[in-house]
Structures are given as C-alpha cells and as structure tokens.
Amino acid sequence: MLDSKTVGKVIRNYREKSNLSQDVVSGLADIGRTHLSAIERGVRKPTLETFFKLAEALNIEPHKLLKLIEDELQE
C-alpha cells in the first residue's frame, strides 16, 4: 500500500541529497513551500501532476523517483 510518509521521506531524502532547499524545489515545481513541506512530512500525498513537477524540479525522471519509493516500501 502506498504510504504518504514513505513518499514524503523519499522526496525529502532525494532533495537533501541533491543539496536543494524546499524553497528552490517548490519554486521550480511551481507549488507552495508549505505544500512541499506537507508532502515531505507525509501529511499530504502529491497528485500525479505534482509528482511529475517535483520529479522535474529534482532533475530525476518520474519513473526513477517512483522506483525509489517502491524500493523504500519493500524494505
């Protein structure tokens, strides 16, 4: 089952690994910083459109970001 906390954790970890701030990523993805923060904390699940925007802002192909989430869920 897709867990919003896991989705947020993977997005946050990838953002931090890329040395990007929430302000930068949210600006590139054209979403609010508080929205990104809520996603990263697992309070909100991103829509498919937002997921694609975040992947683009993080400079990763959406299917690769999804694979990271799948791998995290299997652990």
Side-chain angles (χ1 to χ4, degrees):
M1 174 146 229
L2 189 58
D3 173 25
S4 59
K5 290 197 181 292
T6 302
V7 172
K9 176 183 172 185
V10 170
I11 290 171
R12 181 185 66 244
N13 288 345
Y14 196 86
R15 175 184 60 76
E16 289 174 348
K17 185 180 116 182
S18 301
N19 294 316
L20 295 170
S21 69
Q22 284 184 338
D23 286 327
V24 168
V25 173
S26 62
L28 291 171
D30 196 30
I31 64 172
R33 192 203 53 80
T34 56
H35 186 183
L36 175 57
S37 175
I39 291 170
E40 289 186 355
R41 289 181 284 121
V43 175
R44 297 183 71 174
K45 285 184 184 177
T47 63
L48 186 58
E49 180 179 357
T50 300
F51 185 83
F52 271 72
K53 287 179 175 183
L54 287 171
E56 184 176 341
L58 292 167
N59 199 29
I60 183 173
E61 295 178 35
H63 74 276
K64 291 181 180 178
L65 184 57
L66 183 57
K67 177 68 171 133
L68 293 174
I69 293 167
E70 289 174 339
D71 291 347
E72 184 70 24
L73 288 169
Q74 291 178 355
E75 289 183 4

